[in-house]
Amino acid sequence: MRRPLAELAALVAGRIEGDASVAISGVNALEQAQPGQLSFYGNPRYKEALAKTRASAVLVGKDVPARAGVAWVRVDNPHLAFARISSVYHPAPTYAPGIAAQASVHPEASVHPSATVMPFATVDKGAKVGARSVLYPSAYVGESASVGDDCVLYSAVTVAARCQVGDRVILHSSCVVGADGFGFAFDFEKPEHVKIPQAGIARVEDDVELGACACVDRATTGETVIGKGSKIDNLVQIAHNVTIGPYSIVCAQVGISGSAEIGTGVVLAGQVGVVGHIRVGDMAKIGAQSGVAQNVPDGAMMSGYPAMPHANWLKASVVAPKLGELLKEVRALRRRLDELEKKGQGA
Amino acid sequence: MRRPLAELAALVAGRIEGDASVAISGVNALEQAQPGQLSFYGNPRYKEALAKTRASAVLVGKDVPARAGVAWVRVDNPHLAFARISSVYHPAPTYAPGIAAQASVHPEASVHPSATVMPFATVDKGAKVGARSVLYPSAYVGESASVGDDCVLYSAVTVAARCQVGDRVILHSSCVVGADGFGFAFDFEKPEHVKIPQAGIARVEDDVELGACACVDRATTGETVIGKGSKIDNLVQIAHNVTIGPYSIVCAQVGISGSAEIGTGVVLAGQVGVVGHIRVGDMAKIGAQSGVAQNVPDGAMMSGYPAMPHANWLKASVVAPKLGELLKEVRALRRRLDELEKKGQGA
Amino acid sequence: MRRPLAELAALVAGRIEGDASVAISGVNALEQAQPGQLSFYGNPRYKEALAKTRASAVLVGKDVPARAGVAWVRVDNPHLAFARISSVYHPAPTYAPGIAAQASVHPEASVHPSATVMPFATVDKGAKVGARSVLYPSAYVGESASVGDDCVLYSAVTVAARCQVGDRVILHSSCVVGADGFGFAFDFEKPEHVKIPQAGIARVEDDVELGACACVDRATTGETVIGKGSKIDNLVQIAHNVTIGPYSIVCAQVGISGSAEIGTGVVLAGQVGVVGHIRVGDMAKIGAQSGVAQNVPDGAMMSGYPAMPHANWLKASVVAPKLGELLKEVRALRRRLDELEKKGQGA
């Protein structure tokens, strides 16, 4: 599947500097790209890789000087353009519609005739699966749950009873939508942790992607919501009554506690923790492993444990490895001061 | 399903201030509650929500002043009373007993006639499933494993060979009881990490709940134990030979290393890490994301990384964002002291 | 299955001090061992347990003084010798070869006749399963994926399309090999996070073990690689294009971001986070919960958040709980200095 560079550039409104007729056979990262492939340069970190790449064409921004023997395709956002062109070479797979003989679809469930239900997938009573959606083996759509159109539920995914999944949602293997929220009240007299019924649902809006083993709990009452176009990575924990997004990015192993509100276009880096009942404002960015215990204003960049403005964190990070020295220094200063004061009194 | 408030109050030994005859149709949080619903107030944080709630009745403690138009139900523990009343409105679902034609039950397995085994669930050789227990699709009960009475194993749950699950246990989707503990001895000469056989089991006692994708490893020898009435949230890691509880609470994404002992009534907040071979004492409380590397005394509150007494952590948390300034300040003090000392010598 | 101690000692080239004819019925930890059992002593931490053990024989290093009534077996590496002897008492289970009637094997898949495919396991089109490998219920081997010889895929494991698993690999329940890497480019105009096709694979080399709910994402292009003999614990996140090993150890809940390179014989303790595009050098050791944001040299020991040389971390850990005091002290020093300077000016 070779395509002329000019055709690809047109797809992304790019301006070619170099040979527009070169045939492109695929896409790759700068370092791995072979002649005949197209790559992209979006981060000065890869300046050297750009200088050495064997790619025949590279998507670049406005201000990258030309290089002989490689065609530049100038675009506003090289990363985005790369995503679009890569999709040309890697179209989504197609699936034969139909329900496998070894699948289990309840007589009162509704599966669109264009959907694909693989062996050992289950669609329970009253559940719905929309057009062209695909259930891999052992996927489970619970009682009265619904999955929209053009979704993919990979192997061993769970969408529990009554939960709602929108259109074009991708649920990776073993992710769990709608397990019970974690709510108990302690009865000292028995003793016993009494379970608080988790009677709400989880709702996953259109264009969301949930990673492998990601968990989105159902609400105590009402809804836990993953807003439109948000992307959630592997092993993320989203507790009951949380709302996220739209268009937020939650990286791997983040944990968000109950009733927290994560705004629009937020980025939570890996392993961040967010306590319950707070709000992380729109467009906020939280650094990896941070512990967010208070409201975060819109647009803020926070890092650290506990989370602090990112600038403070950068300085604190430099001091942290010197804390031992700092303590010694302060003690030395005290001794010198004691000495000076003694002298002063003696004088 | 409307019930008179008086009937509900009687269930929780509550004293009504207001209209005892009001019909209650359901329960909800203060902010979401509608007229006709009952809510609860257990935390001063929600004082404003209490003032604005549209609920017709609210479970409150002893010292909350009355409010016109809302019936107060005075109880000792509003949260606990709410849990009990909520269960009236949200009873556990019932399941038709029997083994689905598409399930797999080994001829030498024993499944109680009142149990429910859904399609693609497997009960392996010599395994037992007790009365009224429910296996959702793709749940797996391994060879010679046992599951007691009144349990629910949601979709894709694993109870591996020989592991034991008590009565009234809830295992959420994709949780894994009894994967091998992580034990290897390095052979430099080959080189090779030689696997240490994990020959023990995991035992989950009565009334335990394990979250989605929670992992409880089997012991190297002997048992890993989740004690009676303990509640474990999603994505928690419990290593080989750990013992927890009874009545402990382990929040999401906590990791507990091998042979650690977590006492009675302990609370580990989200993302806490506990190193191996230590003890966290009874009734201890550990703050979110803390790193526990030493024994924790009974009743202690610890937070931070490394974990320290909570009071120290609160102070350290205030200083952390100022570390950059602190370093500068100390350097400035040193310069001033140098200056003073020079003058002193000059004098 | 009782064996004379002499026979066991010969297996590990051990030298017996004591009764070589004692019959050993099994192995156990020092504290749990019963008469007739063999244990090992590899860490001074267990000195007291060694003194009290009821074991009939103990594997010990060169310099442990003899104790009456217990046979010492002197070896270079007691832990390793224990692993080998334990395997004698706990041989791997055997499985009847064959494909269960309730399994699903695609007509164009290839399953070795000596392999075992349990009910509800699926081997998809073009996939291969090697000799003596075992697929537990609900295991899934995707289209054109391959699993080598002598592997065990426990319940609900996923090996996604085109991914490659070597020989003697153990995949614990619900682990996921080959979910999509987490890559998006933001289109502000739509707005939309555009998915970057994850067209590469994940490759798991020989003798690897992956824990329950561990996730190894497929590469954007090329491969994500878990190198030969590496051992990965439960709930670990390994992002696209990461390479690990050979012979590295990754403990539970570690997260490794995209394109990071983890060298040979590295140890990452529990809950460590590693940012993308950096290298952790051969034989490096990273302490629990550390945040690694920069390259780590070969052989380094690092700890902390952010990760720093372990020696600095030990000192910083001592200071951390005193930060509140330290701030006060510095302020007090400043006041005293103010005072001294005032006096000096007055003089």
Side-chain angles (χ1 to χ4, degrees):
Chain A
M1 192 178 59
R2 299 164 74 86
R3 292 161 187 274
L5 182 59
E7 181 189 323
L8 300 172
L11 277 179
V12 296
R15 189 163 47 78
I16 298 175
E17 295 176 16
D19 179 3
S21 70
V22 60
I24 300 296
S25 59
V27 302
N28 215 331
L30 286 169
E31 286 172 353
Q32 282 80 43
Q34 300 299 314
Q37 291 187 322
L38 171 141
S39 191
F40 80 103
Y41 172 72
N43 187 329
R45 173 173 204 148
Y46 296 103
K47 205 170 175 179
E48 201 182 343
L50 178 66
K52 291 185 183 164
T53 187
R54 303 175 64 207
S56 295
V58 181
L59 296 155
V60 299
K62 300 294 174 196
D63 49 357
V64 180
R67 199 191 114 188
V70 191
W72 266 196
V73 183
R74 301 235 184 239
V75 291
D76 287 340
N77 185 338
H79 194 211
L80 176 60
F82 182 79
R84 298 219 182 273
I85 291 176
S86 179
S87 302
V88 171
Y89 289 92
H90 304 290
T94 55
Y95 299 89
I99 298 172
Q102 287 167 297
S104 168
V105 175
H106 193 280
E108 293 171 41
S110 147
V111 174
H112 194 278
S114 63
T116 302
V117 181
M118 298 191 186
F120 317 133
T122 299
V123 185
D124 217 330
K125 187 179 176 185
K128 286 184 193 167
V129 174
R132 297 169 303 280
S133 284
V134 179
L135 274 59
Y136 270 72
S138 307
Y140 174 61
V141 181
E143 208 171 312
S144 303
S146 69
V147 171
D149 298 340
D150 300 295
C151 293
V152 182
L153 277 63
Y154 284 102
S155 46
V157 159
T158 293
V159 177
R162 295 183 292 112
C163 293
Q164 298 171 8
V165 171
D167 297 332
R168 298 173 303 279
V169 169
I170 300 172
L171 302 180
H172 285 286
S173 291
S174 296
C175 84
V176 179
V177 175
D180 282 349
F182 193 66
F184 305 91
F186 195 60
D187 183 341
F188 273 94
E189 297 189 6
K190 288 225 164 182
E192 177 188 15
H193 290 290
V194 178
K195 185 174 176 70
I196 296 169
Q198 302 294 309
I201 66 163
R203 184 158 55 82
V204 176
E205 296 186 346
D206 296 345
D207 302 303
V208 165
E209 185 163 340
L210 296 184
C213 296
C215 298
V216 180
D217 280 353
R218 65 175 62 241
T220 309
T221 57
E223 299 181 340
T224 305
V225 181
I226 311 298
K228 181 177 166 63
S230 294
K231 309 294 181 180
I232 313 291
D233 201 356
N234 299 343
L235 294 161
V236 165
Q237 154 69 358
I238 295 173
H240 45 189
N241 293 88
V242 166
T243 63
I244 296 183
Y247 304 114
S248 287
I249 295 279
V250 179
C251 296
Q253 295 176 321
V254 164
I256 304 175
S257 304
S259 300
E261 202 185 327
I262 311 295
T264 299
V266 170
V267 178
L268 305 179
Q271 296 184 334
V272 161
V274 177
V275 305
H277 298 274
I278 66 168
R279 179 179 157 82
V280 176
D282 297 344
M283 306 300 290
K285 288 191 182 356
I286 312 293
Q289 289 191 325
S290 300
V292 182
Q294 313 218 306
N295 287 335
V296 173
D298 288 0
M301 278 190 68
M302 309 282 281
S303 295
Y305 171 61
M308 58 191 80
H310 188 68
N312 293 46
W313 163 245
L314 288 179
K315 287 176 205 157
S317 298
V318 172
V319 179
K322 300 176 185 165
L323 277 179
E325 283 174 55
L326 188 66
L327 183 69
K328 271 194 199 165
E329 174 78 30
V330 169
R331 284 176 178 165
L333 291 180
R334 188 175 53 198
R335 280 191 300 271
R336 288 166 62 188
L337 208 44
D338 289 348
E339 200 61 37
L340 272 179
E341 287 174 343
K342 237 187 283 173
K343 277 191 196 166
Q345 284 163 358
Chain B
M1 195 178 58
R2 299 164 74 87
R3 290 159 188 276
L5 182 59
E7 182 188 323
L8 299 172
L11 277 179
V12 295
R15 189 163 46 80
I16 298 175
E17 296 177 15
D19 179 2
S21 71
V22 60
I24 299 297
S25 59
V27 302
N28 215 332
L30 285 170
E31 286 172 353
Q32 282 80 44
Q34 300 298 316
Q37 292 187 321
L38 172 141
S39 192
F40 79 104
Y41 171 72
N43 188 330
R45 173 174 203 146
Y46 296 103
K47 206 170 174 179
E48 201 182 343
L50 177 67
K52 290 185 184 167
T53 188
R54 304 175 63 207
S56 295
V58 181
L59 296 155
V60 299
K62 299 294 174 195
D63 49 357
V64 179
R67 199 191 114 191
V70 192
W72 266 197
V73 183
R74 302 236 183 237
V75 290
D76 287 339
N77 184 339
H79 194 210
L80 176 60
F82 182 78
R84 298 220 183 271
I85 291 176
S86 179
S87 301
V88 171
Y89 289 93
H90 304 290
T94 55
Y95 300 90
I99 298 171
Q102 287 168 298
S104 168
V105 175
H106 194 279
E108 293 171 39
S110 147
V111 174
H112 194 278
S114 62
T116 302
V117 182
M118 297 191 186
F120 317 132
T122 299
V123 185
D124 218 330
K125 186 178 174 186
K128 285 185 194 167
V129 174
R132 297 168 303 279
S133 284
V134 179
L135 273 60
Y136 270 73
S138 308
Y140 174 62
V141 181
E143 206 170 313
S144 302
S146 70
V147 171
D149 298 341
D150 299 296
C151 293
V152 182
L153 278 64
Y154 285 101
S155 47
V157 159
T158 293
V159 177
R162 296 183 293 113
C163 293
Q164 298 172 8
V165 171
D167 297 333
R168 298 172 304 279
V169 169
I170 300 173
L171 303 180
H172 285 286
S173 291
S174 297
C175 84
V176 179
V177 174
D180 283 349
F182 194 65
F184 305 91
F186 195 60
D187 183 342
F188 273 95
E189 298 190 4
K190 287 224 165 183
E192 177 188 14
H193 290 289
V194 177
K195 185 175 176 70
I196 296 169
Q198 302 294 310
I201 66 163
R203 184 158 55 82
V204 176
E205 296 186 346
D206 296 345
D207 301 304
V208 165
E209 185 163 341
L210 297 184
C213 296
C215 299
V216 180
D217 281 353
R218 66 175 61 241
T220 309
T221 57
E223 298 182 341
T224 304
V225 181
I226 311 298
K228 180 176 167 62
S230 294
K231 309 293 181 180
I232 314 290
D233 201 355
N234 299 343
L235 294 161
V236 166
Q237 154 69 357
I238 296 173
H240 45 189
N241 292 87
V242 165
T243 64
I244 296 183
Y247 305 113
S248 287
I249 295 279
V250 179
C251 296
Q253 295 176 320
V254 164
I256 304 176
S257 305
S259 300
E261 201 184 326
I262 310 296
T264 299
V266 170
V267 178
L268 305 179
Q271 297 184 331
V272 161
V274 177
V275 305
H277 297 275
I278 65 168
R279 178 177 159 83
V280 177
D282 297 344
M283 305 302 289
K285 290 194 181 354
I286 312 291
Q289 290 192 322
S290 300
V292 182
Q294 313 220 305
N295 287 335
V296 173
D298 288 0
M301 278 190 67
M302 308 280 283
S303 293
Y305 171 61
M308 57 189 80
H310 188 69
N312 292 46
W313 164 245
L314 287 179
K315 286 177 206 159
S317 298
V318 172
V319 179
K322 300 177 184 164
L323 277 178
E325 282 173 56
L326 188 66
L327 184 69
K328 270 195 200 165
E329 173 78 29
V330 169
R331 285 176 179 164
L333 292 179
R334 188 175 53 199
R335 280 190 301 271
R336 289 166 61 188
L337 206 46
D338 289 348
E339 200 61 36
L340 273 180
E341 286 175 343
K342 238 188 280 173
K343 277 191 196 165
Q345 285 164 357
Chain C
M1 192 178 59
R2 298 164 74 87
R3 291 160 187 275
L5 182 59
E7 182 189 322
L8 299 172
L11 276 179
V12 296
R15 188 163 48 79
I16 298 175
E17 296 177 15
D19 179 3
S21 70
V22 61
I24 299 296
S25 59
V27 302
N28 214 331
L30 285 170
E31 287 172 353
Q32 283 81 42
Q34 299 300 313
Q37 292 188 321
L38 172 142
S39 191
F40 80 103
Y41 171 73
N43 187 329
R45 172 173 205 150
Y46 296 103
K47 206 171 174 179
E48 201 183 342
L50 177 67
K52 290 185 183 165
T53 187
R54 303 175 65 206
S56 295
V58 181
L59 296 155
V60 299
K62 298 296 175 195
D63 50 357
V64 179
R67 200 192 114 191
V70 192
W72 267 197
V73 182
R74 302 238 183 235
V75 291
D76 287 340
N77 184 339
H79 194 210
L80 176 61
F82 183 79
R84 299 219 183 274
I85 291 175
S86 180
S87 301
V88 170
Y89 289 92
H90 305 291
T94 55
Y95 299 90
I99 298 171
Q102 286 167 298
S104 168
V105 175
H106 193 279
E108 294 172 40
S110 147
V111 174
H112 193 278
S114 62
T116 302
V117 182
M118 297 191 187
F120 317 132
T122 299
V123 185
D124 218 328
K125 187 180 176 184
K128 285 183 193 168
V129 174
R132 297 168 304 278
S133 284
V134 178
L135 274 59
Y136 270 72
S138 307
Y140 174 61
V141 181
E143 207 171 314
S144 303
S146 69
V147 171
D149 299 340
D150 299 296
C151 293
V152 182
L153 278 63
Y154 283 101
S155 46
V157 159
T158 293
V159 177
R162 296 183 293 112
C163 293
Q164 297 171 10
V165 170
D167 297 333
R168 297 173 304 278
V169 169
I170 300 173
L171 302 180
H172 284 287
S173 291
S174 297
C175 84
V176 179
V177 175
D180 283 349
F182 194 65
F184 305 92
F186 196 60
D187 183 342
F188 273 94
E189 299 190 4
K190 288 225 164 185
E192 175 188 18
H193 290 289
V194 178
K195 185 174 176 68
I196 297 168
Q198 302 294 308
I201 66 163
R203 185 158 56 82
V204 175
E205 296 186 346
D206 296 345
D207 301 304
V208 165
E209 185 162 340
L210 296 185
C213 295
C215 298
V216 180
D217 281 353
R218 66 175 61 242
T220 308
T221 57
E223 297 181 343
T224 304
V225 181
I226 311 298
K228 182 178 166 62
S230 294
K231 308 294 182 182
I232 314 291
D233 200 355
N234 298 343
L235 293 161
V236 166
Q237 154 68 359
I238 296 173
H240 45 188
N241 293 87
V242 166
T243 63
I244 296 182
Y247 304 114
S248 286
I249 294 279
V250 179
C251 295
Q253 294 176 320
V254 164
I256 305 176
S257 304
S259 301
E261 201 184 327
I262 311 296
T264 299
V266 170
V267 178
L268 305 179
Q271 296 185 333
V272 161
V274 178
V275 304
H277 298 275
I278 65 167
R279 178 178 159 80
V280 176
D282 299 343
M283 306 301 289
K285 288 194 182 353
I286 312 293
Q289 289 192 324
S290 300
V292 182
Q294 314 218 305
N295 288 335
V296 173
D298 289 0
M301 277 189 68
M302 308 281 282
S303 293
Y305 171 60
M308 58 190 80
H310 188 68
N312 293 45
W313 163 245
L314 288 179
K315 286 177 204 158
S317 298
V318 172
V319 179
K322 301 177 185 166
L323 277 179
E325 283 174 56
L326 188 66
L327 184 69
K328 270 194 200 167
E329 174 78 31
V330 169
R331 286 175 178 166
L333 291 180
R334 189 176 52 200
R335 281 191 299 270
R336 288 165 63 187
L337 207 45
D338 290 350
E339 201 59 38
L340 272 180
E341 286 174 344
K342 237 187 280 175
K343 278 191 196 167
Q345 284 163 358

